[in-house]
Amino acid sequence: MLVGATTSTISSREPAAIKPNKKDTNIMDMLSTLQDPSEDLLWPVRCLMRMAVVRNCLPSTILMLNYTVSNELRWQAPKSRGLSSSPRPSLGLFLALVEIILESSEEATRLFLDMMVEETGSSYWFSIDDDARLALCLISIRGKHVMIQEPEVRVWVLDKLKEEIESLAESSYSRGTLLPNEWLKEVITGSFCNAECDLLGLDSVLMKSDEELSCYRQDLIRIRDVLAPKKYSCDLDYDILIASLLILARRDCDSWREGCNIPVQTLLNTVCDLAGRKTGIEPKFVFDASKVMYQCALSDNLQAAAFLVGGKKGMVIECADLLVSALDMSVDEAERALFTSSLVNLKKAVAPLYAGISLKKEEASTFRLDLSHKHLLWLLEEHVLNIQKYGEFDSSSSNSQKITPNFVGRVCFRAWFCLTHPKMLDSSAKWLEDWLRKKVDLSNGQASKRLACAALVRTLLWADEAEELDDEDEPILAAVLGFDGRFMAELAQACCGLIESIPSHLAEELMSSYGSTNMFSSFDTTSPVNSIIT
């Protein structure tokens, strides 16, 4: 009886004048002007679904609805008769009917998607148009976007995101988009809701900061604490989130959600950072890291790639992004400058970058920080100056990708050199000396942060690889940066006795010679440290 009432009520409605298969229609514009259907049309369906749940006959009830109101459940026009084409049903009615079905039970979503079309034998999702699929992805049931958690829906969404990223990567990109920004933002919100993230906390996580050094890394940590409390974000769909955010970032969108002050790029960095971490908990969705990394490359998004890779490689890519953004350098050139090239080659590569840039005498004598310098200072303070454990220097083969303070220091100081005009190197070195002296509380060869001093000495006065020490023409990093010899001598004196201040291959020799596991009393007279002190 209820099925008959449903069929009779819906068939007597006034059809909406919507042309079928209109490809240039923006689904978000249609949803913004959506009119809810009359309750007179919906009450028979509500009663039917409640009765189906009570009497435990939900599968057969959904099949009956599939047979009786097939067009309304698929937002498709009835088969045309003659020369005239039939209009599609109302979008509001379509969404209302689907929501009533999905709300009835947790198993209703799967039963609904398994509905078959008798003529073609295809299941529900493969029997509807793309604009209907876009609308269904946004349906929220009890606070969750249930559709995008189902396998066939998720695969379709990922395919569309992939096509959009590839189209944006083309230099001749000019076509209209199937995925509007508003739709992408809703999918991102839905993915966070599905993982039960605190969206209210996310909206207010970034406040105005009076910190001396501002860096998106600090914002990333705050956002990460909100997104990954105790569950370690094992339910986040990283593939959908990262691809959607990459598209928004490529389109230069300021925010991913109305009323939220988190920039799209910062949120993308955070999600990539979480995706690259190993939590020991099996995720709900299998993360395709290689595919997402390829999408980062297509989108020319070095920051996202850096946090996705993580470890030493990620740190190099992150600092390379600073060089690529500020200088006329390619990614490969930036990576070589930071990681593989000798200091002699580094100086030769940087000089031509500033050949056409002249500075007045007063400009060269006054060093001013820019955002890139502040970023490097934040990394130095976080990973070099705030170390508190001897184990942070460990870079054994079993943990080769671990970020050590000497590695971070080497990369950051090289980046600092690249970002500084040669004529401003003296004022830059003086400013950096004063800043480092203040951070380690260095005075007359004494410092409160001895491990930090050891990290600086190991970075600035030694080469990490044994073969580099044999090159007599290779300068030390401290000399390249223009640091004063007295400053370096005080740093060396402050950490004298800490074996962490020299490279690991020399530390092993010293420990075997002196029989010590933590300290040695004095440096070899031929060491660079001792030569500077004397």
Side-chain angles (χ1 to χ4, degrees), residues 49-271:
M49 297 310 300
R50 290 176 184 174
M51 188 64 67
V53 173
V54 171
R55 296 194 175 184
N56 197 25
C57 58
L58 188 61
S60 58
T61 302
I62 292 178
L63 290 177
M64 285 190 291
L65 285 175
N66 181 42
Y67 179 77
T68 55
V69 289
S70 175
N71 295 323
E72 286 77 9
L73 288 179
R74 289 171 172 78
W75 195 33
Q76 63 185 13
K79 292 182 179 180
S80 58
R81 297 178 180 177
L83 298 177
S84 60
S85 59
S86 303
R88 300 172 79 175
S90 164
L91 174 60
L93 177 62
F94 160 64
L95 293 177
L97 290 174
V98 175
E99 287 180 3
I100 291 173
I101 295 174
L102 300 186
E103 285 175 348
S104 63
S105 172
E106 291 184 359
E107 62 176 340
T109 303
R110 189 64 259 164
L111 293 172
F112 181 76
L113 288 172
D114 286 339
M115 293 190 308
M116 306 293 291
V117 179
E118 291 184 2
E119 293 83 355
T120 62
S122 59
S123 60
Y124 177 83
W125 187 255
F126 302 100
S127 66
I128 59 178
D129 295 331
D130 279 350
D131 52 359
R133 293 170 177 168
L134 290 172
L136 288 178
C137 289
L138 306 185
I139 288 182
S140 178
I141 305 298
R142 290 181 288 274
K144 292 192 175 183
H145 287 50
V146 294
M147 280 292 187
I148 60 176
Q149 297 183 98
E150 298 299 326
E152 62 266 51
V153 180
R154 183 173 180 269
V155 169
W156 180 84
V157 170
L158 291 175
D159 286 342
K160 292 302 175 184
L161 293 171
K162 175 178 174 290
E163 292 175 7
E164 194 69 24
I165 290 174
E166 291 174 349
S167 297
L168 286 170
E170 297 176 2
S171 57
S172 58
Y173 176 76
S174 61
R175 69 171 180 83
T177 175
L178 176 66
L179 307 179
N181 289 346
E182 293 76 12
W183 185 88
L184 293 169
K185 294 176 182 179
E186 286 296 324
V187 168
I188 294 170
T189 301
S191 297
F192 285 139
C193 290
N194 290 343
E196 300 181 3
C197 295
D198 182 9
L199 289 184
L200 293 179
L202 202 59
D203 290 342
S204 58
V205 66
L206 296 188
M207 307 299 291
K208 291 184 178 179
S209 176
D210 296 329
E211 296 176 2
E212 178 185 0
L213 301 179
S214 57
C215 173
Y216 60 72
R217 274 266 192 163
Q218 186 63 42
D219 295 337
L220 181 150
I221 294 174
R222 295 169 181 166
I223 299 169
R224 190 178 66 201
D225 291 341
V226 175
L227 290 182
K230 297 180 180 180
K231 296 181 64 177
Y232 299 100
S233 298
C234 59
D235 289 339
L236 280 174
D237 194 334
Y238 292 114
D239 296 85
I240 288 180
L241 283 170
I242 294 175
S244 300
L245 289 167
L246 280 172
I247 295 172
L248 291 180
R250 187 63 184 265
R251 294 176 181 172
D252 296 325
C253 292
D254 295 330
S255 177
W256 69 278
R257 186 168 181 244
E258 186 176 353
C260 184
N261 62 347
I262 299 177
V264 170
Q265 185 64 53
T266 302
L267 183 61
L268 173 60
N269 293 344
T270 308
V271 174

Side-chain angles (χ1 to χ4, degrees), residues 315 376-389 392-393 403-413 435-436 439-440 449-460 491:
M315 179 64 65
L376 295 174
L377 292 177
W378 192 94
L379 292 175
L380 285 171
E381 186 168 4
E382 181 73 11
H383 295 284
V384 180
L385 304 181
N386 287 337
I387 57 174
Q388 298 178 355
K389 300 178 180 179
E392 295 184 55
F393 287 88
I403 298 179
T404 57
N406 51 296
F407 180 86
V408 175
R410 194 172 304 279
V411 172
C412 288
F413 284 128
W435 185 80
L436 291 172
K439 290 299 178 181
V440 299
K449 296 184 177 181
R450 298 186 69 227
L451 278 179
C453 292
L456 291 174
V457 167
R458 179 168 169 179
T459 299
L460 296 169
L491 272 179

Side-chain angles (χ1 to χ4, degrees), residues 2 32 39 61 132 164 214 223 247 341 395 400 423 501:
L2 286 174
S32 64
E39 186 61 27
T61 302
E164 194 69 24
S214 57
I223 299 169
I247 295 172
S341 66
S395 59
S400 58
K423 291 186 178 180
S501 62

